[in-house]
Amino acid sequence: MSTTESLEEFVRLITVTDTKKRLQAGQELVEYLKSSGCAQCEAVVLDQLVEALVECVSSSNFKVSLNGLEAIKLIAESQGEHFRHHINTVLPLTIDRLGDNKDQVREEAHALIAVLMSPVSSPHVS
């Protein structure tokens, strides 16, 4: 199965309404991204994946939200500057999660914000 096919399947699985399936798919996606990364992802599939993950982050289930935040963080790390056009979609919801009741969600939101801000906060050598 190609990277594109795998990611399309993850998009399908993390958007189901069954929380158990969504949680399992989110955990598998995080493991997939940790092992394979997303540096060579097609833009269309990446856009779909980020949109689906934003839905996960807004979930009332903290584990689904946590998986969404971690997956977005891994994608942002592997995409680097190419992730820039997703920041307007991801950042407001991530900031909202800084006020979550669960420490784990707040910590992951903080880590994602740090990743999103690293390109603009890193000193550039001219």
Side-chain angles (χ1 to χ4, degrees):
M1 186 179 291
S2 71
T3 301
T4 301
E5 291 169 342
S6 298
L7 292 176
E8 286 174 345
E9 181 65 12
F10 280 122
V11 168
R12 187 185 70 73
L13 291 171
I14 61 175
T15 56
V16 298
T17 55
D18 183 344
T19 303
K20 287 183 181 181
K21 289 180 181 177
R22 202 172 183 192
L23 182 58
Q24 181 180 353
Q27 291 168 337
E28 290 173 4
L29 175 60
V30 167
E31 291 305 315
Y32 176 85
L33 292 171
K34 283 180 180 178
S35 65
S36 302
C38 196
Q40 302 299 321
C41 296
E42 290 183 23
V44 174
V45 176
L46 184 63
D47 291 346
Q48 293 170 349
L49 183 59
V50 170
E51 289 297 324
L53 288 169
V54 165
E55 289 180 32
C56 289
V57 171
S58 64
S59 172
S60 60
N61 183 300
F62 89 95
K63 291 180 181 179
V64 172
S65 181
L66 191 62
N67 285 337
L69 288 166
E70 187 173 2
I72 292 171
K73 182 182 77 171
L74 292 167
I75 292 169
E77 287 172 339
S78 68
Q79 290 289 306
E81 290 287 323
H82 300 291
F83 193 79
R84 178 175 279 172
H85 72 278
H86 294 289
I87 291 177
N88 289 337
T89 305
V90 171
L91 190 59
L93 196 55
T94 305
I95 290 171
D96 186 50
R97 283 303 185 173
L98 289 172
D100 197 276
N101 290 332
K102 300 286 187 180
D103 287 339
Q104 294 167 297
V105 175
R106 290 193 305 266
E107 290 168 7
E108 196 63 41
H110 185 267
L112 174 55
I113 290 171
V115 168
L116 294 175
M117 298 308 294
S118 66
V120 295
S121 63
S122 301
H124 294 283
V125 178
S126 300

